[in-house]
Amino acid sequence: MSGIAGWVDRGRDLTREGLATATMTARLTSRGRHGERLWSSRSAVLGHRADALDAVDAQPTLVQDHDGPLAVITFDGVLYNAAELRSLLADDGRRGPLTTDAEVVLRGYLRWGCAVAERLEGLFAFAVWDVRSSELVLCRDRFGVKPLSYLVLPDGVLFASEVAALTAHPLVRAELDAESLCSVLAQVRRPGHAGLRGLREVRPAHLTRFRTDGVVEQRYWSLEARPHTQELAPTMETARGLLDDAIARQRGAGTPTVLLSGGLDSSALTGLASEVAGCAPNTFTVSFGHSAAAVPDRPFAQAVVDRLGCDHHEVLVEPSELIDPLTLDAALEAKDYPSPFGDKNLTPYLFYRRVAEHAPLALSGEAADAVFGGLLSEQERTSSGHQTFSWIERARTFGMTHGIGNGLFDEELLREVDYTAFCAARYQEAREEVPHLAGSSAQDQRAREIDYLNMTRLFEQAVNHSERLGAAAGLQIRFPFADHRLFGYLYNVPWRMKSFDGREKSLLRAIAKDLLPASVLERPKVPFPITYHAGYKQSLVSRLREVLEDPGAPVLPLLDLPAVAKVVDDPRLLDRGGWLGRADTEMVLQLDSWLRRRDVRLAL
């Protein structure tokens, strides 16, 4: 949990341009609050923003011989197999310690080249400047949990953990074109593309190499479709073993900390962590002051705590905190992109900030739905003729024609930017990526498709809620269910096994049945809670009115102004479709703030 940035330019002497990279690195404060450090040469400058005081001087890290530096790295993340790699590198003939993960990766690169990525297990994004070949290598973990974007220049490239850092560079002109706007509104981007014109991002499970002869993208891991030969009992045993191993590698030292909602996923994780660690975890649950969620989590979380004997903490989020301008600003800065989720961003940020006061890292149950087959509804399984992503289709059933959060944008504008065609194209290219097994049933093909699309598209949104908000709050969050070995195994388990008792996530329920109360095992899935306090909705209306009355508001040209005025005049429209009516307003407000903060120009 830190920030990385850099600039490679073969046409400039970058020893004279340190201020630009320092400015980029300084913009990474939400990922590392304890100062930055730069390494520079004539053609490359690498920056690192540290997340701990004792790490300020640790990066960028270099390896050199008697002739000078061989390669330099700036690294964000954690390796779960660092000890194994240290053993493999112990006889590489190089001197110097291997105390940090950055040092392990760099020494691994010098030994195995870009093939080092195949050996890395964990959450990571890094940049290596190979002095010997004048090559920059950018790399990102298998599911893209750690962010890393870049911009190709005529003679080089800029890169950074966050788009905010890239737009701080004087050579970057932040522009929102038609594709960028569609990406922001759909919350889905073309693979390898970021949310502003010209910006790219390193794809999950890829390296991007910037060589003197051009740019090369290289995949180092792929999901594979394989026959599943085990019966139900050994399948559950194998899945349990993989999940236990993922928890053991990710839980950290001492008593584990788990973010416990009271739902099946986080509760199963809590029970399994207790078994793996040999002690009851510390658990944290969020609740609201002077308000309640539609389906209260407290009784279910308490039942898990009572069953396992956890040291439990209930974090109370007050409505006044959710409308604090500093909270609004911090959450948007952490997410790096606008979204329609409003207090579904704000509440986790405040929650993680409180958890960070007690523990440096916590385990999250996110990704369990995609891994254990929890997102394939009966309608999605049996219907045909799918035209778009399942979460957009669900929004349409509530009257949200263009998906969540887009009800206040000008219809004519959406036609001009061809928003519907954009979503259809992104859906089709995602489907074409799905690995299928020849001869598999239509049901299994659809199940694979849903799991793949949710893990490679929707999971990115979920991670934005957690990894980035957690980093800004000072909390490192890890995701044991998002283990590539576990997902690779369960991806090939037939749907009849994943739902062997007639319900979604049957395997996970079976694995956790001896660890959890029956009430939690049988609990239907519910969304993350929202606040129902009237003051929060009043704040939304007031802020929306300010945007509407500000002739310089950058979002105004994108809006259906009469529709916005109706919401201002009749706040009851916020309650349309539950929280979905609020999402329309939340998206307008976040997009307006984002355009202002990044000084983004509309180029539609």
Side-chain angles (χ1 to χ4, degrees):
M1 186 176 72
S2 54
I4 66 174
W7 182 10
V8 168
D9 199 310
R10 298 181 178 90
R12 293 174 180 263
D13 181 354
L14 294 187
T15 58
R16 302 171 180 172
E17 306 290 352
L19 179 60
T21 309
T23 301
M24 290 172 58
T25 309
R27 285 298 300 270
L28 297 170
T29 307
S30 63
R31 299 196 61 82
R33 333 177 163 190
H34 295 291
E36 63 261 10
R37 185 167 176 259
L38 302 179
W39 177 90
S40 63
S41 67
R42 184 179 182 84
S43 299
V45 183
L46 272 62
H48 185 266
R49 184 85 192 180
D51 61 345
L53 283 171
D54 59 359
V56 172
D57 295 326
Q59 292 195 59
T61 298
L62 61 89
V63 171
Q64 56 187 352
D65 62 12
H66 60 278
D67 292 324
L70 300 175
V72 189
I73 188 172
T74 181
F75 176 91
D76 169 30
V78 58
L79 298 181
Y80 302 144
N81 63 335
E84 302 163 26
L85 294 173
R86 287 189 186 96
S87 297
L88 292 173
L89 293 167
D91 62 350
D92 67 353
R94 300 187 184 280
R95 296 182 179 180
L98 285 170
T99 56
T100 69
D101 289 352
E103 291 166 338
V104 170
V105 175
L106 185 56
R107 289 268 289 275
Y109 171 81
L110 290 172
R111 180 164 180 172
W112 301 303
C114 288
V116 66
E118 303 167 20
R119 300 173 179 264
L120 305 179
E121 297 183 12
L123 308 179
F124 53 83
F126 64 83
V128 170
W129 172 244
D130 192 325
V131 178
R132 303 163 301 177
S133 60
S134 295
E135 176 179 344
L136 177 72
V137 178
L138 304 181
C139 185
R140 202 165 168 216
D141 62 70
R142 288 169 177 80
F143 294 121
V145 175
K146 294 293 183 180
L148 185 55
S149 298
Y150 64 90
L151 174 66
V152 176
L153 301 174
D155 294 309
V157 61
L158 300 170
F159 68 87
S161 297
E162 296 181 352
V163 168
L166 287 177
T167 59
H169 194 283
L171 293 181
V172 177
R173 181 183 176 91
E175 293 184 331
L176 191 75
D177 60 7
E179 178 172 335
S180 303
L181 177 62
C182 290
S183 297
V184 169
L185 297 184
Q187 302 288 298
V188 177
R189 297 189 286 276
R190 189 151 47 113
H193 288 250
L196 288 171
R197 171 186 274 181
L199 299 192
R200 303 291 301 270
E201 59 184 16
V202 179
R203 297 181 65 178
H206 279 72
L207 302 114
T208 304
R209 305 172 63 182
F210 302 88
R211 309 188 310 194
T212 54
D213 58 350
V215 181
V216 176
E217 273 196 354
Q218 184 175 323
R219 178 183 285 274
Y220 66 85
W221 178 79
S222 299
L223 189 66
E224 297 178 0
R226 300 183 300 272
H228 185 75
T229 58
Q230 293 180 311
E231 296 299 325
L232 181 59
T235 294
M236 287 192 291
E237 183 178 349
T238 301
R240 170 68 186 268
L242 290 169
L243 187 49
D244 282 350
D245 186 61
I247 293 170
R249 290 150 71 91
Q250 297 186 36
R251 70 181 183 86
T255 303
T257 295
V258 182
L259 306 177
L260 174 63
S261 71
L264 173 63
D265 303 344
S266 64
S267 298
L269 179 59
T270 303
L272 292 167
S274 178
E275 293 274 299
V276 169
C279 63
N282 300 318
T283 52
F284 291 81
T285 300
V286 68
S287 65
F288 296 104
H290 307 101
S291 180
V295 181
D297 288 323
R298 181 182 297 165
F300 299 96
Q302 191 60 51
V304 174
V305 168
D306 293 342
R307 174 72 173 265
L308 300 175
C310 303
D311 182 5
H312 187 59
H313 307 261
E314 188 170 281
V315 175
L316 190 67
V317 174
E318 295 289 353
S320 60
E321 296 179 277
L322 295 171
I323 62 176
D324 186 330
L326 293 180
T327 303
L328 297 172
D329 184 76
L332 178 59
E333 187 70 15
K335 286 290 292 286
D336 209 23
Y337 287 105
S339 79
F341 301 113
D343 64 312
K344 288 175 176 280
N345 295 334
L346 303 172
T347 299
Y349 169 72
L350 294 168
F351 176 50
Y352 300 153
R353 198 165 67 181
R354 306 282 172 75
V355 176
E357 296 172 0
H358 301 268
L361 70 90
L363 302 180
S364 166
E366 289 184 73
D369 276 325
V371 172
F372 278 93
L375 293 164
L376 183 61
S377 68
E378 179 68 18
Q379 179 183 2
E380 290 163 343
R381 182 170 61 85
T382 57
S383 61
S384 59
H386 306 281
Q387 299 297 317
T388 190
F389 297 100
S390 58
W391 54 92
I392 296 179
E393 287 186 343
R394 290 190 206 112
R396 287 175 177 171
T397 65
F398 289 95
M400 310 293 166
T401 305
H402 302 296
I404 298 172
N406 299 325
L408 297 179
F409 290 90
D410 181 64
E411 285 281 349
E412 180 60 32
L413 172 68
L414 295 179
R415 283 192 290 271
E416 288 177 3
V417 300
D418 218 355
Y419 176 78
T420 300
F422 172 88
C423 293
R426 301 292 76 76
Y427 179 62
Q428 186 58 36
E429 73 191 0
R431 291 186 69 190
E432 290 172 356
E433 292 177 12
V434 180
H436 285 299
L437 189 65
S440 60
S441 68
Q443 184 181 76
D444 281 339
Q445 287 192 25
R446 181 58 178 161
R448 275 195 173 99
E449 183 176 287
I450 288 290
D451 289 347
Y452 183 89
L453 266 56
N454 280 280
M455 197 65 178
T456 61
R457 287 354 187 237
L458 185 61
F459 181 59
E460 183 177 30
Q461 298 179 34
V463 168
N464 278 342
H465 284 292
S466 298
E467 194 279 339
R468 291 153 178 75
L469 292 170
L475 180 68
Q476 183 180 157
I477 301 179
R478 299 181 183 176
F479 311 89
F481 289 110
D483 179 90
H484 70 282
R485 295 167 304 162
L486 177 66
F487 185 50
Y489 175 75
L490 288 172
Y491 180 76
N492 291 295
V493 173
W495 176 249
R496 61 179 173 79
M497 283 191 180
K498 289 184 176 179
S499 59
F500 70 85
D501 63 357
R503 301 186 63 178
E504 81 287 349
K505 291 191 284 194
S506 300
L507 289 175
L508 183 58
R509 294 177 200 278
I511 287 171
K513 69 177 182 179
D514 295 329
L515 302 173
L516 301 178
S519 61
V520 176
L521 288 170
E522 299 304 317
R523 184 188 184 192
K525 182 175 178 60
V526 296
F528 190 86
I530 62 173
T531 180
Y532 288 87
H533 194 272
Y536 182 75
K537 292 192 287 186
Q538 291 170 2
S539 172
L540 291 179
V541 173
S542 296
R543 292 164 56 207
L544 188 63
R545 180 182 292 110
E546 290 176 3
V547 169
L548 190 61
E549 295 175 350
D550 178 5
V555 77
L556 284 184
L558 309 177
L559 301 181
D560 179 344
L561 297 180
V564 176
K566 284 182 181 180
V567 175
V568 171
D569 293 337
D570 185 5
R572 291 174 299 177
L573 293 174
L574 292 176
D575 298 321
R576 182 169 61 102
W579 69 273
L580 292 177
R582 271 167 47 171
D584 288 341
T585 296
E586 302 273 18
M587 188 64 185
V588 169
L589 296 175
Q590 285 207 23
L591 181 56
D592 186 70
S593 296
W594 183 70
L595 293 171
R596 293 175 192 265
R597 290 182 62 86
R598 303 287 182 267
D599 192 23
V600 178
R601 299 172 178 84
L602 299 182
L604 302 175

